Amino acid sequence: MDQPDEAYCATPERPEAAPDEGPPFAECVLCREPTEYPESVRGSTLCPVCEWQEAQRTACSG
């Protein structure tokens, strides 16, 4: 076992990223990043990060 196995040491090829499909996504009202919601959703939309931070703020405020 002096030589390493070639399959073990080889770096796998990265698959090409699939193009984003689906409706155009709404922007986060706080950071302008895309959200998980389509643009047709009414109300203030938040990206997953801002949504999580907002949930922490409201959980600790009371």
Side-chain angles (χ1 to χ4, degrees):
M1 293 201 101
D2 292 332
Q3 295 182 359
D5 184 15
E6 290 297 320
Y8 179 78
C9 295
T11 304
E13 294 290 324
R14 293 184 78 178
E16 289 187 29
D20 290 339
E21 295 192 21
F25 294 103
E27 287 185 343
C28 176
V29 295
L30 298 176
C31 69
R32 308 299 244 181
E33 291 293 318
T35 66
E36 298 174 334
Y37 306 104
E39 286 181 345
S40 61
V41 171
R42 300 176 104 185
S44 60
T45 54
L46 299 173
C47 71
V49 173
C50 291
E51 196 170 313
W52 180 78
Q53 291 173 344
E54 188 66 24
Q56 276 197 320
R57 278 192 285 273
T58 58
C60 294
S61 66

